[in-house]
Tab-separated table of all heavy atoms in Angstrom:
chain	number	residue	atom	x	y	z
W	1	MET	N	1.445	26.884	-42.223
W	1	MET	CA	2.469	26.855	-41.194
W	1	MET	C	3.825	26.798	-41.894
W	1	MET	O	4.022	26.033	-42.829
W	1	MET	CB	2.264	25.650	-40.285
W	1	MET	CG	3.051	25.700	-39.017
W	1	MET	SD	2.795	24.287	-37.940
W	1	MET	CE	1.466	24.880	-36.921
W	2	SER	N	4.763	27.592	-41.444
W	2	SER	CA	6.072	27.649	-42.108
W	2	SER	C	6.913	26.424	-41.733
W	2	SER	O	6.663	25.745	-40.744
W	2	SER	CB	6.791	28.938	-41.697
W	2	SER	OG	7.163	28.865	-40.340
W	3	ARG	N	7.924	26.193	-42.576
W	3	ARG	CA	8.826	25.065	-42.325
W	3	ARG	C	9.542	25.222	-40.984
W	3	ARG	O	9.768	24.239	-40.269
W	3	ARG	CB	9.868	24.971	-43.425
W	3	ARG	CG	9.337	24.393	-44.677
W	3	ARG	CD	10.464	24.283	-45.660
W	3	ARG	NE	10.125	23.290	-46.653
W	3	ARG	CZ	10.876	23.025	-47.665
W	3	ARG	NH1	12.013	23.689	-47.840
W	3	ARG	NH2	10.528	22.116	-48.542
W	4	THR	N	9.902	26.437	-40.634
W	4	THR	CA	10.587	26.676	-39.378
W	4	THR	C	9.699	26.311	-38.201
W	4	THR	O	10.148	25.692	-37.224
W	4	THR	CB	11.004	28.171	-39.281
W	4	THR	OG1	11.740	28.528	-40.439
W	4	THR	CG2	11.838	28.415	-38.057
W	5	ARG	N	8.443	26.724	-38.275
W	5	ARG	CA	7.515	26.422	-37.183
W	5	ARG	C	7.278	24.916	-37.073
W	5	ARG	O	7.243	24.365	-35.971
W	5	ARG	CB	6.198	27.146	-37.416
W	5	ARG	CG	5.259	26.996	-36.248
W	5	ARG	CD	4.109	27.897	-36.381
W	5	ARG	NE	4.544	29.224	-35.938
W	5	ARG	CZ	3.769	30.092	-35.332
W	5	ARG	NH1	2.510	29.820	-35.137
W	5	ARG	NH2	4.230	31.240	-34.929
W	6	ILE	N	7.122	24.239	-38.221
W	6	ILE	CA	6.924	22.783	-38.194
W	6	ILE	C	8.137	22.094	-37.593
W	6	ILE	O	8.026	21.191	-36.784
W	6	ILE	CB	6.618	22.254	-39.619
W	6	ILE	CG1	5.247	22.743	-40.083
W	6	ILE	CG2	6.661	20.722	-39.652
W	6	ILE	CD1	4.936	22.424	-41.530
W	7	GLY	N	9.313	22.549	-37.971
W	7	GLY	CA	10.552	21.976	-37.446
W	7	GLY	C	10.643	22.176	-35.931
W	7	GLY	O	11.030	21.276	-35.191
W	8	SER	N	10.259	23.364	-35.474
W	8	SER	CA	10.295	23.651	-34.034
W	8	SER	C	9.322	22.761	-33.272
W	8	SER	O	9.642	22.244	-32.197
W	8	SER	CB	9.952	25.127	-33.770
W	8	SER	OG	10.920	25.963	-34.354
W	9	VAL	N	8.138	22.552	-33.830
W	9	VAL	CA	7.141	21.695	-33.199
W	9	VAL	C	7.642	20.274	-33.143
W	9	VAL	O	7.491	19.589	-32.124
W	9	VAL	CB	5.784	21.791	-33.936
W	9	VAL	CG1	4.826	20.726	-33.445
W	9	VAL	CG2	5.187	23.182	-33.762
W	10	LEU	N	8.284	19.800	-34.201
W	10	LEU	CA	8.797	18.433	-34.216
W	10	LEU	C	9.941	18.251	-33.208
W	10	LEU	O	10.006	17.228	-32.529
W	10	LEU	CB	9.267	18.059	-35.626
W	10	LEU	CG	8.161	17.877	-36.663
W	10	LEU	CD1	8.754	17.604	-38.036
W	10	LEU	CD2	7.221	16.750	-36.249
W	11	VAL	N	10.802	19.252	-33.092
W	11	VAL	CA	11.890	19.186	-32.110
W	11	VAL	C	11.309	19.156	-30.707
W	11	VAL	O	11.728	18.369	-29.851
W	11	VAL	CB	12.873	20.361	-32.299
W	11	VAL	CG1	13.816	20.469	-31.118
W	11	VAL	CG2	13.648	20.208	-33.588
W	12	LEU	N	10.324	20.029	-30.439
W	12	LEU	CA	9.686	20.060	-29.132
W	12	LEU	C	9.015	18.724	-28.830
W	12	LEU	O	9.127	18.199	-27.714
W	12	LEU	CB	8.675	21.202	-29.066
W	12	LEU	CG	7.973	21.396	-27.743
W	12	LEU	CD1	8.977	21.667	-26.631
W	12	LEU	CD2	6.961	22.516	-27.833
W	13	LEU	N	8.336	18.135	-29.803
W	13	LEU	CA	7.689	16.850	-29.619
W	13	LEU	C	8.728	15.760	-29.310
W	13	LEU	O	8.507	14.918	-28.428
W	13	LEU	CB	6.879	16.486	-30.871
W	13	LEU	CG	6.142	15.161	-30.835
W	13	LEU	CD1	5.129	15.143	-29.702
W	13	LEU	CD2	5.459	14.900	-32.162
W	14	ALA	N	9.851	15.791	-30.016
W	14	ALA	CA	10.905	14.816	-29.783
W	14	ALA	C	11.446	14.950	-28.354
W	14	ALA	O	11.693	13.941	-27.663
W	14	ALA	CB	12.020	14.980	-30.806
W	15	ILE	N	11.631	16.172	-27.885
W	15	ILE	CA	12.133	16.398	-26.535
W	15	ILE	C	11.147	15.862	-25.499
W	15	ILE	O	11.529	15.200	-24.534
W	15	ILE	CB	12.431	17.900	-26.304
W	15	ILE	CG1	13.640	18.312	-27.148
W	15	ILE	CG2	12.689	18.189	-24.818
W	15	ILE	CD1	13.894	19.806	-27.163
W	16	VAL	N	9.865	16.149	-25.698
W	16	VAL	CA	8.841	15.676	-24.776
W	16	VAL	C	8.837	14.137	-24.750
W	16	VAL	O	8.774	13.540	-23.664
W	16	VAL	CB	7.442	16.225	-25.154
W	16	VAL	CG1	6.344	15.530	-24.377
W	16	VAL	CG2	7.393	17.743	-24.927
W	17	LEU	N	8.903	13.516	-25.888
W	17	LEU	CA	8.925	12.044	-25.932
W	17	LEU	C	10.163	11.479	-25.253
W	17	LEU	O	10.067	10.447	-24.547
W	17	LEU	CB	8.834	11.557	-27.387
W	17	LEU	CG	7.497	11.794	-28.085
W	17	LEU	CD1	7.566	11.397	-29.536
W	17	LEU	CD2	6.381	11.039	-27.385
W	18	LEU	N	11.300	12.115	-25.402
W	18	LEU	CA	12.512	11.652	-24.721
W	18	LEU	C	12.384	11.816	-23.218
W	18	LEU	O	12.817	10.938	-22.443
W	18	LEU	CB	13.733	12.420	-25.233
W	18	LEU	CG	14.209	12.047	-26.636
W	18	LEU	CD1	15.304	13.014	-27.101
W	18	LEU	CD2	14.715	10.623	-26.653
W	19	LEU	N	11.796	12.915	-22.760
W	19	LEU	CA	11.602	13.102	-21.326
W	19	LEU	C	10.650	12.061	-20.752
W	19	LEU	O	10.891	11.528	-19.672
W	19	LEU	CB	11.069	14.516	-21.059
W	19	LEU	CG	12.081	15.655	-21.249
W	19	LEU	CD1	11.383	16.989	-21.120
W	19	LEU	CD2	13.207	15.519	-20.257
W	20	ILE	N	9.582	11.760	-21.474
W	20	ILE	CA	8.623	10.753	-21.013
W	20	ILE	C	9.319	9.390	-20.937
W	20	ILE	O	9.136	8.644	-19.991
W	20	ILE	CB	7.396	10.703	-21.925
W	20	ILE	CG1	6.567	11.982	-21.718
W	20	ILE	CG2	6.544	9.472	-21.636
W	20	ILE	CD1	5.419	12.145	-22.701
W	21	ALA	N	10.127	9.068	-21.940
W	21	ALA	CA	10.814	7.773	-21.949
W	21	ALA	C	11.830	7.685	-20.810
W	21	ALA	O	12.124	6.594	-20.311
W	21	ALA	CB	11.500	7.571	-23.308
W	22	ALA	N	12.385	8.848	-20.388
W	22	ALA	CA	13.406	8.833	-19.343
W	22	ALA	C	12.817	8.736	-17.943
W	22	ALA	O	13.527	8.473	-16.986
W	22	ALA	CB	14.262	10.094	-19.441
W	23	LEU	N	11.507	8.935	-17.812
W	23	LEU	CA	10.885	8.873	-16.489
W	23	LEU	C	10.980	7.448	-15.953
W	23	LEU	O	10.822	6.476	-16.691
W	23	LEU	CB	9.399	9.274	-16.566
W	23	LEU	CG	9.119	10.731	-16.864
W	23	LEU	CD1	7.617	10.942	-17.047
W	23	LEU	CD2	9.616	11.592	-15.725
W	24	PRO	N	11.242	7.313	-14.665
W	24	PRO	CA	11.284	5.954	-14.103
W	24	PRO	C	9.906	5.310	-14.174
W	24	PRO	O	8.888	5.962	-14.041
W	24	PRO	CB	11.709	6.165	-12.647
W	24	PRO	CG	11.379	7.586	-12.358
W	24	PRO	CD	11.441	8.328	-13.674
W	25	THR	N	9.905	4.040	-14.424
W	25	THR	CA	8.634	3.321	-14.485
W	25	THR	C	8.112	3.124	-13.074
W	25	THR	O	8.864	2.948	-12.134
W	25	THR	CB	8.810	1.950	-15.178
W	25	THR	OG1	9.795	1.218	-14.473
W	25	THR	CG2	9.192	2.103	-16.625
W	26	ALA	N	6.812	3.148	-12.944
W	26	ALA	CA	6.195	2.985	-11.631
W	26	ALA	C	6.346	1.539	-11.184
W	26	ALA	O	6.091	0.606	-11.931
W	26	ALA	CB	4.721	3.360	-11.703
W	27	VAL	N	6.772	1.380	-9.969
W	27	VAL	CA	6.916	0.050	-9.387
W	27	VAL	C	5.937	-0.038	-8.234
W	27	VAL	O	5.959	0.775	-7.322
W	27	VAL	CB	8.361	-0.202	-8.877
W	27	VAL	CG1	8.464	-1.548	-8.211
W	27	VAL	CG2	9.347	-0.044	-10.018
W	28	LEU	N	5.057	-1.020	-8.291
W	28	LEU	CA	4.097	-1.189	-7.225
W	28	LEU	C	4.789	-1.791	-6.017
W	28	LEU	O	5.544	-2.752	-6.125
W	28	LEU	CB	2.950	-2.100	-7.673
W	28	LEU	CG	2.120	-1.576	-8.845
W	28	LEU	CD1	1.083	-2.615	-9.230
W	28	LEU	CD2	1.437	-0.276	-8.471
W	29	ALA	N	4.544	-1.201	-4.878
W	29	ALA	CA	5.150	-1.715	-3.639
W	29	ALA	C	4.525	-3.073	-3.301
W	29	ALA	O	3.336	-3.271	-3.487
W	29	ALA	CB	4.914	-0.729	-2.500
W	30	GLU	N	5.365	-3.949	-2.843
W	30	GLU	CA	4.852	-5.244	-2.411
W	30	GLU	C	4.057	-5.062	-1.122
W	30	GLU	O	4.376	-4.211	-0.308
W	30	GLU	CB	5.990	-6.228	-2.162
W	30	GLU	CG	6.705	-6.636	-3.416
W	30	GLU	CD	7.775	-7.671	-3.156
W	30	GLU	OE1	7.626	-8.461	-2.188
W	30	GLU	OE2	8.743	-7.707	-3.902
W	31	SER	N	3.042	-5.845	-0.974
W	31	SER	CA	2.221	-5.756	0.223
W	31	SER	C	3.014	-6.270	1.415
W	31	SER	O	3.619	-7.334	1.368
W	31	SER	CB	0.957	-6.625	0.026
W	31	SER	OG	0.204	-6.622	1.193
W	32	THR	N	3.053	-5.465	2.450
W	32	THR	CA	3.750	-5.844	3.668
W	32	THR	C	2.715	-6.159	4.733
W	32	THR	O	1.859	-5.346	5.011
W	32	THR	CB	4.649	-4.690	4.158
W	32	THR	OG1	5.549	-4.349	3.117
W	32	THR	CG2	5.419	-5.093	5.388
W	33	PRO	N	2.790	-7.356	5.324
W	33	PRO	CA	1.804	-7.672	6.347
W	33	PRO	C	1.931	-6.717	7.533
W	33	PRO	O	3.015	-6.283	7.871
W	33	PRO	CB	2.141	-9.095	6.753
W	33	PRO	CG	3.393	-9.456	6.072
W	33	PRO	CD	3.733	-8.393	5.086
W	34	MET	N	0.803	-6.408	8.111
W	34	MET	CA	0.774	-5.525	9.259
W	34	MET	C	1.238	-6.311	10.500
W	34	MET	O	0.808	-7.431	10.715
W	34	MET	CB	-0.633	-4.993	9.469
W	34	MET	CG	-0.753	-4.034	10.636
W	34	MET	SD	-2.383	-3.305	10.794
W	34	MET	CE	-3.435	-4.720	10.921
W	35	LEU	N	2.108	-5.711	11.259
W	35	LEU	CA	2.588	-6.344	12.472
W	35	LEU	C	1.746	-5.832	13.642
W	35	LEU	O	1.685	-4.641	13.898
W	35	LEU	CB	4.050	-6.000	12.686
W	35	LEU	CG	4.717	-6.574	13.929
W	35	LEU	CD1	4.673	-8.107	13.893
W	35	LEU	CD2	6.147	-6.112	14.007
W	36	ALA	N	1.034	-6.728	14.282
W	36	ALA	CA	0.201	-6.349	15.419
W	36	ALA	C	0.239	-7.465	16.449
W	36	ALA	O	0.400	-8.635	16.125
W	36	ALA	CB	-1.252	-6.127	14.965
W	37	TRP	N	0.137	-7.078	17.714
W	37	TRP	CA	0.073	-8.069	18.776
W	37	TRP	C	-0.700	-7.467	19.942
W	37	TRP	O	-0.888	-6.273	20.026
W	37	TRP	CB	1.467	-8.488	19.223
W	37	TRP	CG	2.280	-7.370	19.794
W	37	TRP	CD1	2.368	-7.003	21.093
W	37	TRP	CD2	3.077	-6.425	19.078
W	37	TRP	NE1	3.170	-5.897	21.249
W	37	TRP	CE2	3.619	-5.531	20.008
W	37	TRP	CE3	3.385	-6.257	17.732
W	37	TRP	CZ2	4.443	-4.493	19.644
W	37	TRP	CZ3	4.198	-5.209	17.370
W	37	TRP	CH2	4.734	-4.348	18.312
W	38	GLY	N	-1.137	-8.316	20.796
W	38	GLY	CA	-1.888	-7.867	21.951
W	38	GLY	C	-2.378	-9.014	22.765
W	38	GLY	O	-2.032	-10.176	22.527
W	39	THR	N	-3.194	-8.697	23.749
W	39	THR	CA	-3.787	-9.732	24.601
W	39	THR	C	-5.281	-9.753	24.372
W	39	THR	O	-5.909	-8.763	24.021
W	39	THR	CB	-3.483	-9.469	26.078
W	39	THR	OG1	-4.003	-8.189	26.425
W	39	THR	CG2	-1.999	-9.506	26.367
W	40	VAL	N	-5.851	-10.940	24.555
W	40	VAL	CA	-7.280	-11.131	24.324
W	40	VAL	C	-7.885	-11.896	25.486
W	40	VAL	O	-7.352	-12.928	25.900
W	40	VAL	CB	-7.516	-11.961	23.027
W	40	VAL	CG1	-8.990	-12.096	22.747
W	40	VAL	CG2	-6.797	-11.366	21.845
W	41	THR	N	-8.960	-11.349	26.016
W	41	THR	CA	-9.695	-12.090	27.048
W	41	THR	C	-11.066	-12.447	26.485
W	41	THR	O	-11.632	-11.753	25.655
W	41	THR	CB	-9.865	-11.257	28.337
W	41	THR	OG1	-10.534	-10.043	28.011
W	41	THR	CG2	-8.533	-10.964	28.974
W	42	LEU	N	-11.561	-13.565	26.931
W	42	LEU	CA	-12.870	-14.044	26.501
W	42	LEU	C	-13.584	-14.581	27.731
W	42	LEU	O	-13.074	-15.471	28.417
W	42	LEU	CB	-12.678	-15.145	25.453
W	42	LEU	CG	-13.918	-15.666	24.757
W	42	LEU	CD1	-14.612	-14.552	23.982
W	42	LEU	CD2	-13.543	-16.804	23.798
W	43	ASN	N	-14.718	-13.991	28.058
W	43	ASN	CA	-15.471	-14.358	29.269
W	43	ASN	C	-14.609	-14.262	30.519
W	43	ASN	O	-14.664	-15.122	31.404
W	43	ASN	CB	-16.080	-15.769	29.126
W	43	ASN	CG	-17.059	-15.844	27.984
W	43	ASN	OD1	-17.787	-14.882	27.713
W	43	ASN	ND2	-17.099	-16.982	27.312
W	44	GLY	N	-13.753	-13.241	30.584
W	44	GLY	CA	-12.933	-12.995	31.769
W	44	GLY	C	-11.649	-13.786	31.851
W	44	GLY	O	-10.871	-13.621	32.777
W	45	GLY	N	-11.399	-14.671	30.910
W	45	GLY	CA	-10.162	-15.463	30.926
W	45	GLY	C	-9.400	-15.300	29.629
W	45	GLY	O	-9.832	-14.624	28.702
W	46	GLN	N	-8.232	-15.927	29.552
W	46	GLN	CA	-7.434	-15.872	28.340
W	46	GLN	C	-8.171	-16.537	27.187
W	46	GLN	O	-8.758	-17.616	27.361
W	46	GLN	CB	-6.101	-16.583	28.546
W	46	GLN	CG	-5.184	-15.899	29.541
W	46	GLN	CD	-3.896	-16.672	29.698
W	46	GLN	OE1	-3.830	-17.883	29.489
W	46	GLN	NE2	-2.845	-15.968	30.091
W	47	ALA	N	-8.166	-15.902	26.031
W	47	ALA	CA	-8.787	-16.507	24.857
W	47	ALA	C	-8.012	-17.737	24.438
W	47	ALA	O	-6.777	-17.749	24.462
W	47	ALA	CB	-8.830	-15.506	23.722
W	48	PRO	N	-8.707	-18.831	24.096
W	48	PRO	CA	-8.012	-20.074	23.719
W	48	PRO	C	-7.333	-19.957	22.353
W	48	PRO	O	-7.665	-19.095	21.540
W	48	PRO	CB	-9.126	-21.104	23.700
W	48	PRO	CG	-10.394	-20.340	23.517
W	48	PRO	CD	-10.161	-18.988	24.096
W	49	LEU	N	-6.411	-20.889	22.135
W	49	LEU	CA	-5.724	-20.946	20.842
W	49	LEU	C	-6.729	-21.071	19.699
W	49	LEU	O	-7.745	-21.748	19.831
W	49	LEU	CB	-4.775	-22.154	20.796
W	49	LEU	CG	-3.609	-22.141	21.792
W	49	LEU	CD1	-2.844	-23.449	21.690
W	49	LEU	CD2	-2.701	-20.960	21.535
W	50	GLY	N	-6.439	-20.406	18.600
W	50	GLY	CA	-7.277	-20.486	17.413
W	50	GLY	C	-8.425	-19.482	17.381
W	50	GLY	O	-9.118	-19.369	16.378
W	51	THR	N	-8.633	-18.712	18.479
W	51	THR	CA	-9.695	-17.711	18.493
W	51	THR	C	-9.362	-16.630	17.478
W	51	THR	O	-8.250	-16.121	17.437
W	51	THR	CB	-9.814	-17.077	19.906
W	51	THR	OG1	-10.092	-18.103	20.836
W	51	THR	CG2	-10.920	-16.049	19.940
W	52	LYS	N	-10.313	-16.301	16.626
W	52	LYS	CA	-10.139	-15.239	15.620
W	52	LYS	C	-10.433	-13.900	16.265
W	52	LYS	O	-11.408	-13.761	17.010
W	52	LYS	CB	-11.080	-15.442	14.437
W	52	LYS	CG	-10.934	-16.782	13.744
W	52	LYS	CD	-9.800	-16.759	12.789
W	52	LYS	CE	-9.803	-18.079	12.017
W	52	LYS	NZ	-8.556	-18.405	11.451
W	53	VAL	N	-9.579	-12.901	15.998
W	53	VAL	CA	-9.789	-11.557	16.540
W	53	VAL	C	-9.680	-10.531	15.428
W	53	VAL	O	-8.912	-10.688	14.499
W	53	VAL	CB	-8.757	-11.225	17.650
W	53	VAL	CG1	-8.955	-12.102	18.865
W	53	VAL	CG2	-7.336	-11.329	17.156
W	54	ASP	N	-10.505	-9.488	15.504
W	54	ASP	CA	-10.373	-8.331	14.618
W	54	ASP	C	-9.426	-7.343	15.295
W	54	ASP	O	-9.447	-7.178	16.501
W	54	ASP	CB	-11.725	-7.648	14.381
W	54	ASP	CG	-12.614	-8.450	13.450
W	54	ASP	OD1	-12.074	-9.203	12.613
W	54	ASP	OD2	-13.845	-8.317	13.537
W	55	ILE	N	-8.596	-6.691	14.489
W	55	ILE	CA	-7.603	-5.756	15.002
W	55	ILE	C	-8.028	-4.345	14.623
W	55	ILE	O	-8.278	-4.054	13.452
W	55	ILE	CB	-6.204	-6.077	14.451
W	55	ILE	CG1	-5.798	-7.488	14.866
W	55	ILE	CG2	-5.188	-5.032	14.917
W	55	ILE	CD1	-4.557	-8.009	14.186
W	56	TYR	N	-8.141	-3.482	15.625
W	56	TYR	CA	-8.501	-2.083	15.424
W	56	TYR	C	-7.295	-1.218	15.785
W	56	TYR	O	-6.615	-1.494	16.761
W	56	TYR	CB	-9.690	-1.702	16.307
W	56	TYR	CG	-10.950	-2.447	15.968
W	56	TYR	CD1	-11.195	-3.718	16.463
W	56	TYR	CD2	-11.904	-1.877	15.126
W	56	TYR	CE1	-12.351	-4.412	16.145
W	56	TYR	CE2	-13.067	-2.562	14.799
W	56	TYR	CZ	-13.285	-3.811	15.312
W	56	TYR	OH	-14.424	-4.496	14.983
W	57	VAL	N	-7.043	-0.182	15.000
W	57	VAL	CA	-5.929	0.718	15.240
W	57	VAL	C	-6.496	2.053	15.709
W	57	VAL	O	-7.312	2.658	15.008
W	57	VAL	CB	-5.057	0.884	13.999
W	57	VAL	CG1	-3.938	1.876	14.237
W	57	VAL	CG2	-4.489	-0.453	13.542
W	58	GLY	N	-6.055	2.502	16.864
W	58	GLY	CA	-6.514	3.790	17.392
W	58	GLY	C	-8.014	3.774	17.664
W	58	GLY	O	-8.558	2.793	18.126
W	59	ALA	N	-8.653	4.887	17.343
W	59	ALA	CA	-10.084	5.006	17.587
W	59	ALA	C	-10.908	4.597	16.374
W	59	ALA	O	-12.112	4.819	16.329
W	59	ALA	CB	-10.415	6.444	17.981
W	60	ASP	N	-10.260	4.009	15.381
W	60	ASP	CA	-10.956	3.597	14.154
W	60	ASP	C	-12.012	2.555	14.491
W	60	ASP	O	-11.777	1.642	15.299
W	60	ASP	CB	-9.956	3.034	13.155
W	60	ASP	CG	-10.482	2.971	11.726
W	60	ASP	OD1	-11.658	3.301	11.526
W	60	ASP	OD2	-9.718	2.588	10.839
W	61	THR	N	-13.188	2.675	13.899
W	61	THR	CA	-14.267	1.734	14.168
W	61	THR	C	-14.355	0.637	13.099
W	61	THR	O	-15.222	-0.220	13.166
W	61	THR	CB	-15.622	2.459	14.252
W	61	THR	OG1	-15.830	3.164	13.025
W	61	THR	CG2	-15.647	3.431	15.404
W	62	THR	N	-13.457	0.678	12.156
W	62	THR	CA	-13.385	-0.348	11.113
W	62	THR	C	-12.132	-1.189	11.374
W	62	THR	O	-11.046	-0.641	11.559
W	62	THR	CB	-13.288	0.293	9.706
W	62	THR	OG1	-14.405	1.161	9.522
W	62	THR	CG2	-13.253	-0.763	8.629
W	63	PRO	N	-12.257	-2.523	11.388
W	63	PRO	CA	-11.070	-3.341	11.632
W	63	PRO	C	-9.981	-3.063	10.589
W	63	PRO	O	-10.263	-2.930	9.399
W	63	PRO	CB	-11.580	-4.776	11.514
W	63	PRO	CG	-13.062	-4.695	11.623
W	63	PRO	CD	-13.459	-3.321	11.169
W	64	SER	N	-8.741	-2.995	11.049
W	64	SER	CA	-7.607	-2.811	10.146
W	64	SER	C	-7.042	-4.146	9.695
W	64	SER	O	-6.188	-4.196	8.831
W	64	SER	CB	-6.517	-2.010	10.846
W	64	SER	OG	-6.987	-0.731	11.187
W	65	GLY	N	-7.488	-5.194	10.294
W	65	GLY	CA	-7.008	-6.528	9.957
W	65	GLY	C	-7.595	-7.534	10.919
W	65	GLY	O	-8.499	-7.222	11.701
W	66	SER	N	-7.068	-8.717	10.871
W	66	SER	CA	-7.523	-9.760	11.785
W	66	SER	C	-6.337	-10.635	12.148
W	66	SER	O	-5.283	-10.589	11.533
W	66	SER	CB	-8.637	-10.596	11.159
W	66	SER	OG	-8.147	-11.257	10.008
W	67	GLY	N	-6.522	-11.395	13.196
W	67	GLY	CA	-5.474	-12.283	13.649
W	67	GLY	C	-6.054	-13.510	14.331
W	67	GLY	O	-7.277	-13.631	14.464
W	68	THR	N	-5.189	-14.400	14.734
W	68	THR	CA	-5.584	-15.623	15.415
W	68	THR	C	-4.745	-15.746	16.669
W	68	THR	O	-3.551	-15.477	16.667
W	68	THR	CB	-5.332	-16.845	14.502
W	68	THR	OG1	-6.044	-16.642	13.279
W	68	THR	CG2	-5.805	-18.116	15.135
W	69	VAL	N	-5.381	-16.170	17.761
W	69	VAL	CA	-4.658	-16.378	19.017
W	69	VAL	C	-3.690	-17.532	18.794
W	69	VAL	O	-4.107	-18.645	18.448
W	69	VAL	CB	-5.651	-16.657	20.170
W	69	VAL	CG1	-4.895	-17.041	21.438
W	69	VAL	CG2	-6.547	-15.453	20.406
W	70	THR	N	-2.390	-17.264	18.979
W	70	THR	CA	-1.367	-18.270	18.767
W	70	THR	C	-0.753	-18.765	20.086
W	70	THR	O	-0.107	-19.805	20.115
W	70	THR	CB	-0.240	-17.736	17.869
W	70	THR	OG1	0.281	-16.542	18.461
W	70	THR	CG2	-0.768	-17.445	16.473
W	71	GLU	N	-0.907	-17.987	21.126
W	71	GLU	CA	-0.527	-18.377	22.485
W	71	GLU	C	-1.719	-18.038	23.354
W	71	GLU	O	-2.419	-17.074	23.060
W	71	GLU	CB	0.705	-17.607	22.966
W	71	GLU	CG	1.981	-17.945	22.191
W	71	GLU	CD	3.183	-17.178	22.732
W	71	GLU	OE1	3.237	-16.962	23.964
W	71	GLU	OE2	4.026	-16.824	21.926
W	72	PRO	N	-1.999	-18.797	24.386
W	72	PRO	CA	-3.173	-18.515	25.195
W	72	PRO	C	-3.262	-17.041	25.596
W	72	PRO	O	-2.333	-16.499	26.182
W	72	PRO	CB	-2.985	-19.412	26.416
W	72	PRO	CG	-2.171	-20.559	25.925
W	72	PRO	CD	-1.245	-19.951	24.906
W	73	GLY	N	-4.328	-16.388	25.162
W	73	GLY	CA	-4.556	-14.989	25.511
W	73	GLY	C	-3.783	-13.982	24.688
W	73	GLY	O	-3.864	-12.790	24.949
W	74	GLN	N	-3.013	-14.416	23.677
W	74	GLN	CA	-2.209	-13.467	22.870
W	74	GLN	C	-2.419	-13.739	21.376
W	74	GLN	O	-2.673	-14.859	20.965
W	74	GLN	CB	-0.731	-13.609	23.210
W	74	GLN	CG	-0.431	-13.271	24.656
W	74	GLN	CD	1.042	-13.412	24.953
W	74	GLN	OE1	1.822	-13.886	24.143
W	74	GLN	NE2	1.445	-12.980	26.132
W	75	TYR	N	-2.312	-12.670	20.624
W	75	TYR	CA	-2.350	-12.778	19.164
W	75	TYR	C	-1.173	-12.075	18.581
W	75	TYR	O	-0.491	-11.310	19.236
W	75	TYR	CB	-3.661	-12.230	18.567
W	75	TYR	CG	-3.846	-10.753	18.732
W	75	TYR	CD1	-3.403	-9.891	17.736
W	75	TYR	CD2	-4.407	-10.204	19.864
W	75	TYR	CE1	-3.568	-8.519	17.878
W	75	TYR	CE2	-4.598	-8.846	20.009
W	75	TYR	CZ	-4.156	-7.997	19.004
W	75	TYR	OH	-4.322	-6.669	19.161
């Protein structure tokens, strides 16, 4: 390999390394709690305080989260 070619490869490598170093570092997003609310009935009446509920979004059959009744019949 000629000196010119080696020099070109080294310059190209240096440029690539500088570009990689200039890339912004990945920042992981902080977890944001899901905001959900609704009403809950249990046996035809308002669910009592402390009742645990699973939260479903749309037609999804897997719970997206859970909550606790904090006001009678509401989570």
Side-chain angles (χ1 to χ4, degrees):
M1 194 179 268
S2 69
R3 284 183 158 176
T4 307
R5 186 169 279 213
I6 292 173
S8 296
V9 169
L10 290 176
V11 168
L12 183 58
L13 180 61
I15 290 171
V16 169
L17 291 175
L18 286 172
L19 288 173
I20 290 172
L23 291 174
T25 56
V27 176
L28 298 177
E30 291 184 29
S31 176
T32 303
M34 182 175 57
L35 180 60
W37 63 92
T39 58
V40 183
T41 57
L42 187 61
N43 298 325
Q46 293 179 334
L49 297 176
T51 302
K52 303 278 187 201
V53 294
D54 286 333
I55 300 170
Y56 296 84
V57 177
D60 198 357
T61 58
T62 303
S64 298
S66 62
T68 303
V69 173
T70 56
E71 294 182 34
Q74 298 181 351
Y75 66 92

